[in-house]
Amino acid sequence: MDRYTTHEHDVLVIGAGGAGLRAAIEASAADVNVGLVCKSLLGKAHTVMAEGGVAAALANVDDRDNWRVHFSDTMRGGQYLNNWRMAELHAREAPDRVRELEAWGAVMDRTKDGKILQRNFGGHKYPRLAHVGDRTGLEMIRTLQDHGIHRGITVHMEATVFRLLKDGDRVVGAFGYDREHGRFLLYRAKAVVLATGGIGRAYSVTSNSWEYTGDGHGLAYDAGADLVDMEFVQFHPTGMVWPPSVRGILVTEGVRGEGGILKNKDGRRFMFDDIPDLYKDQTADTPEEGWRYVTGDKDARRPPELLTRDHVARCIVREVKAGRGSPHGGVFLDIAWIREKIRDSEAHIRKKLPSMYHQFKELAGVDITTQPMEVGPTTHYVMGGIRVDGDTQMSTVPGLFAAGECAAGLHGANRLGGNSLSDLLVFGKRAGEHAAAWAKDHDAGTVGEDQATDAMRACLAPLERDGNGENPHALQRHLQTMMQDHVGIVRNERDMTHAVEQLADFRARAAVVAAPGSRQYNGGWHTCLDLPNLLTVSEAVARSALDRTESRGAHFREDHPAKDPSLAGHNTVVRRASDGTMEVSRLPIPALREDLKAIIAEMG
Amino acid sequence: MPKATFRIWRGERGDGAWVDFETEVSEGMVVLDAVHDIQAEQAADLAVRWNCKAGKCGSCSAEINGMPRLMCMTRLDTLPLDEPVTIEPMKAFPHVRDLVTDVSWNYEVKKRIKPFKPRPPDAADGTWRMAQEDVERVQEFRKCIECFLCQDVCHVLRDHHKHDSFIGPRFLVHTAGLEMHPLDTEDRLADLKEKQGIGYCNITKCCTKVCPEHITITDNAIIPLKERVVDEFYDPIAKLFRIFRPKKTE
Ligand SMILES: Cc1cc2nc3c(=O)[nH]c(=O)nc-3n(C[C@H](O)[C@H](O)[C@H](O)COP(=O)(O)OP(=O)(O)OC[C@H]3O[C@@H](n4cnc5c(N)ncnc54)[C@H](O)[C@@H]3O)c2cc1C
Ligand code: SF4
Ligand code: SF4
Ligand code: FES
């Protein structure tokens, strides 16, 4: 049998996006030995792609803002399925976490009096997103990376964790391989933090990169942890739709925050046609009022384009289905129109949305300062994930922590834009802190040799088939199409039941995929090893979505198009049953604390 | 659909050969799409780095028809398709496999650059005040996506292999971003001169030409740094002047 190299750490952080980096920095501040593993090079994680901003009630632009408003906005956006303790901690702590970035060198856009500037975003009552043009994620990840590399953290780049290792009930390490040489690695750790991001690669139209195969979700599930809220997958309303090769690439909500409007092929601003009751009081009555809002008039209410993402995405689907879409099956997003309102609008747009300008110019040949963009929904974010304790971020498995997109709770049924970057900072820090504390209280545990041998055997199998099996890239593409068609934005029982059946087939096919070639940087082999996780999350989404026989937040069932009040009181949980099958159950949501209840009542 | 030929450098650790792949081309495709199609249909083990597919992460650097570029931002309709499109790995770094090179040297270099050291906060709540005009200059440098294409094209690294004594344009940009940061108080000029080889740069501007983020590497970052080094070490009057004038108010 093959050999492996062993590394020992007190805390092992898996994932080097915003959440993982922040966790690693915090753990190393507690004076424990920290290892950080990531599949790509450092600084290339998904966080780098975030555009619009990071939400925090700094109240630099509108002094009426405070954590209580942010808390209530987050809960309303999540349709009250959120873990309210997380929503509270997030709203309270985000401002300090953002200011801390500045102390570490981040350079965010400024207000006239020299403070951090904040912009409008969907579902946030006041301008709340600190940002740098439309490349906020780059600023954030680079700041954390440049700070982190001087903190004595051991970074294992381009290494993929394949399995978690256990001693009895407890997680005590991880097994993986380095992508460059294909050599095996065994990490022993007293505590493990998962910060692996999302699952978008389960769908064919997505804003997510190859990394988003739901590894953290799959690893945790296999180790016996609960996953929660997996039916809630966010389809961002505005992805690129044309040309085909860029379909799915994100168009930031910042475009709408800066005054961009949505129109159908007849030029109608269709978002005014359907405004949900929950938001009637907060939404502008006229285009004129909407424009006043985006230009900072505190008495105006926000335009309907800035309603929550789930709603905007469904309105777009409705227009397209009714035959009122754009030529390539989307609708029009127009920022160029602001030339009617402001002088020198072209320079203004290029300044506020530089990477959008660049992206459309280079990839679609469209000049957004003079022409409308064509946009449509794209798979963007998963609200569901590893179930964690709100204060410590520990999962239901001892010694295993999770933070960032792979953890669940903060966002409930729908995430507000900007609340992810702040989530990474707030809960990345908490996970790092509590993982370090756990590591100080526990010994290293023991890892049975059989766990390593077994993992190595599973890793090598696709290579040993010598190319006699299905191409893993092709299999992945089929799976994505199946999920897009059957468990996408608009769902029903028949399609999803069919999906669950198909997934069993896919599992059988994935068990015999083959990767030709050597172990050196072999993308085909790596894809073979990612497939099991992708299948786990696909099944978790489909089964959870079947169980929730109503429409709520990002989860829309055409066979149950209304909200069902009797389903408002629980989260959907999946876990691995003793016979290896996936078990779905309903977990009641604990009663809201009185003071938090009062805040929600007060904010209306 | 029309077809085009992609001539890709394949091999391990420097040993390799050109291999031709023919694949279908559709409207709006970029080079990275063609590479992915080849992976899915003809060569599952083709090694390539990528993440964002939108020019934001700087992973997919390669040399396309001899030019250092991002594969995800190079549209096929900007290339002549009646002849093979060549795709090869960057040359300034050790080869790993196919289109992938070992860029770890860059991460080591960055660790040796003195980190950000802010002045004490301006306000009682621990925050600072900065004017938008003042942050814009460093924001240009902070746009860098670490694609290392500028490193690849710089003759000091590519042809003269001065990796031990020259940090390359990417890290001169990084240092400029720190030195011109309105809050920073660290001094990196001695390191630039002694350890980081700023003197090797003879302002050929090749780096600026390939930067996908359009950072004016030479004019805005390297030349001002060179001037500061000259002021500090070769011009006693300017140096005297500096002593009386705090570094960050110039
Ligand atoms: C285009 C785009 C724009 C966005 N804009 C915004 C925005 O403006 N505001 C906002 O709040 N949110 C935004 N989001 C969402 C937000 O960026 C992400 O949710 C967030 O960055 C996720 O961070 P993370 O730290 O959880 O994971 P990531 O940053 O994705 O990092 C995951 C890490 O885990 C590693 N990893 C994964 N699996 C393994 C494994 N098996 N072994 C080892 N390592 C592994 C990866 O290599 C990577 O380092 C945007 C998302 C996209 C796609
Ligand atoms: S200008 Fe200087 S850094 Fe840039 S390529 Fe030329 S020699 Fe290298
Ligand atoms: S300066 Fe430009 S070319 Fe150089 S690494 Fe940064 S983005 Fe790439
Ligand atoms: S894939 Fe991110 S820059 Fe090309």
Side-chain angles (χ1 to χ4, degrees), chain B residues 68-121:
Chain B
R69 307 185 67 165
L70 296 177
M71 286 186 268
C72 71
M73 294 302 280
T74 306
R75 279 176 62 140
L76 294 181
D77 56 17
T78 63
L79 304 171
L81 295 183
D82 45 356
E83 46 195 274
V85 175
T86 64
I87 316 175
E88 56 194 311
M90 290 192 283
K91 301 276 174 38
F93 309 112
H95 187 222
V96 174
R97 185 159 176 271
D98 301 342
L99 300 175
V100 174
T101 57
D102 177 358
V103 291
S104 57
W105 169 78
N106 292 284
Y107 291 86
E108 293 307 317
V109 169
K110 192 190 248 182
K111 263 198 201 159
R112 296 198 297 267
I113 296 171
K114 288 185 191 159
F116 176 65
K117 191 166 125 196
R119 69 177 183 230

Side-chain angles (χ1 to χ4, degrees), chain A residues 221-222 224 507 535-536 539 543 574-584:
Chain A
Y221 174 86
D222 288 341
R507 253 187 216 285
L535 287 164
T536 300
E539 186 177 342
R543 289 196 187 274
V574 302
R575 74 173 69 91
R576 196 190 179 108
S578 50
D579 63 356
T581 58
M582 191 177 281
E583 176 183 279
V584 182

Side-chain angles (χ1 to χ4, degrees), chain A residues 210-234:
Chain A
W210 69 272
E211 292 201 309
Y212 266 26
T213 46
D215 293 6
H217 295 75
L219 292 168
Y221 174 86
D222 288 341
D226 286 2
L227 303 183
V228 64
D229 291 338
M230 289 301 289
E231 66 273 37
F232 299 113
V233 176
Q234 180 167 76

Side-chain angles (χ1 to χ4, degrees), chain A residues 521-543:
Chain A
Y521 217 107
N522 183 343
W525 180 38
H526 304 159
T527 302
C528 293
L529 302 184
D530 292 341
L531 282 171
N533 295 322
L534 207 51
L535 287 164
T536 300
V537 293
S538 299
E539 186 177 342
V541 173
R543 289 196 187 274

Side-chain angles (χ1 to χ4, degrees), chain B residues 32 49-60 70-73 145:
Chain B
L32 187 61
R49 276 199 188 102
W50 68 282
N51 282 74
C52 68
K53 220 176 157 296
K56 294 192 166 74
C57 72
S59 303
C60 65
L70 296 177
M71 286 186 268
C72 71
M73 294 302 280
I145 55 174

